């Protein structure tokens, strides 16, 4: 998700989005561990989305 889209969300929405991303990251890590991960680039995308969300959330405080 682009930073433009994140800046329009409220702090509560950003926290929920961050929680969803962390769950997705956990699921991808479990898939990687069991050898079922077919798209390894998803790990990088989720990690960067988490960083973007935390950046925007820090700016809202």
């Amino acid at each position: 998700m682009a930073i433009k889209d994140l800046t329009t969300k409220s702090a509560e929405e950003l926290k929920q989005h961050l929680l969803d991303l962390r769950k997705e990251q956990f699921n991808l890590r479990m898939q990687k561990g069991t050898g079922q991960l077919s798209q390894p680039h998803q790990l990088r995308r989720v990690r960067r989305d988490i960083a973007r969300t935390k950046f925007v959330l820090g700016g809202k405080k």
Side-chain angles (χ1 to χ4, degrees):
M1 184 175 278
I3 289 187
K4 270 192 290 192
D5 301 331
L6 293 175
T7 54
T8 60
K9 292 187 175 189
S10 69
E12 282 301 316
E13 289 174 328
L14 287 172
K15 287 179 185 177
Q16 183 60 42
H17 183 64
L18 185 59
L19 184 63
D20 294 340
L21 287 171
R22 292 220 185 246
K23 287 179 183 177
E24 184 178 355
Q25 184 183 35
F26 176 78
N27 290 332
L28 289 171
R29 278 198 332 254
M30 291 299 112
Q31 287 179 12
K32 182 180 179 188
T34 58
Q36 296 175 349
L37 186 62
S38 61
Q39 298 176 343
H41 67 277
Q42 293 295 330
L43 284 169
R44 182 178 180 188
R45 180 193 56 83
V46 170
R47 191 174 68 241
R48 289 184 176 193
D49 281 347
I50 288 172
R52 280 188 201 102
T53 305
K54 289 175 79 172
F55 177 77
V56 172
L57 192 57
K60 294 219 181 230
K61 288 187 179 180

